[in-house]
Amino acid sequence: MTRFDEMKSAARDGLKRRRERDRNAREFIRTLLEGFASYCGIPNGRMAYFRWDEKAEAGNTIFDENQVLANVVEFDDERDRWSVGIDIMFSSPGVSPEIYATFGLFIAEKEGEFSVAVGPDSPRIVDLTVQTQREDFYGTLVQKIADVFKKDTRSEARKIGFGIAWSAS
């Protein structure tokens, strides 16, 4: 085997590991969000996904329940994590005012363990196969969303990584 062949083999192996890691992370995110929707009893069409970026962080999102999760999950090489934006619509479709919560979800993986952060929170390990960990995470997220609406101010919501809206459509 030449030195070139060694490098080529290492490159292929590295790419294979990276793809597998990405596939595993996306599966984790899908399972996490499906589990959260089920835990909360969120009706179909009331939770939407979007790319989390500066515009989203500033509260400029459009609720689109037709967006496919796989198309909006992005990996940030610099931070070594995946991100996705979540919108949960509480008002009925077509009813004004629209009431919804928006937040960013950030997922990191290290040695097969996944940690999850909501907004600027510190990441916490969530093992979806452990019911108490899974339900504790879901319960904490439910409480954060409820607390944001109790504070009744958008600026307070943004400080903890949420966007809220009561907007006329």
Side-chain angles (χ1 to χ4, degrees):
M1 178 183 276
T2 67
R3 299 283 189 225
F4 176 79
D5 290 335
E6 285 179 43
M7 293 184 295
K8 182 174 149 184
S9 177
R12 283 185 178 160
D13 290 348
L15 179 59
K16 183 179 176 184
R17 281 191 312 277
R18 184 180 175 108
R19 284 181 175 162
E20 185 174 326
R21 183 175 184 236
D22 187 65
R23 191 173 24 257
N24 291 341
R26 289 171 182 275
E27 178 63 21
F28 174 86
I29 294 165
R30 184 190 62 74
T31 303
L32 177 78
L33 293 174
E34 285 177 358
F36 179 67
S38 176
Y39 175 86
C40 296
I42 299 173
N44 285 340
R46 297 293 185 89
M47 188 159 78
Y49 315 111
F50 60 92
R51 289 179 199 266
W52 186 259
D53 57 19
E54 296 81 29
K55 282 178 28 179
E57 207 166 333
N60 300 321
T61 64
I62 297 172
F63 186 87
D64 179 3
E65 71 274 10
N66 297 315
Q67 190 60 262
V68 178
L69 180 62
N71 293 341
V72 295
V73 172
E74 291 194 325
F75 182 72
D76 180 342
D77 277 313
E78 191 174 303
R79 294 181 175 158
D80 193 30
R81 68 181 189 184
W82 291 262
S83 64
V84 63
I86 311 295
D87 275 331
I88 301 174
M89 180 68 69
F90 298 109
S91 54
S92 296
V95 172
S96 184
E98 292 180 334
I99 305 169
Y100 58 92
T102 299
F103 57 95
L105 199 62
F106 307 97
I107 297 86
E109 181 273 338
K110 186 173 183 178
E111 298 178 12
E113 285 190 321
F114 290 96
S115 59
V116 182
V118 178
D121 285 356
S122 295
R124 62 191 268 189
I125 292 174
V126 178
D127 183 342
L128 297 178
T129 64
V130 178
Q131 183 177 356
T132 54
Q133 275 190 39
R134 186 177 63 236
E135 290 182 357
D136 182 54
F137 175 77
Y138 294 154
T140 300
L141 185 51
V142 166
Q143 191 60 55
K144 281 183 76 81
I145 293 169
D147 288 349
V148 165
F149 282 101
K150 289 175 186 172
K151 289 181 182 171
D152 204 30
T153 65
R154 290 180 185 195
S155 62
E156 278 299 307
R158 284 200 185 97
K159 285 180 191 174
I160 62 168
F162 282 83
I164 61 172
W166 296 275
S167 62
S169 48

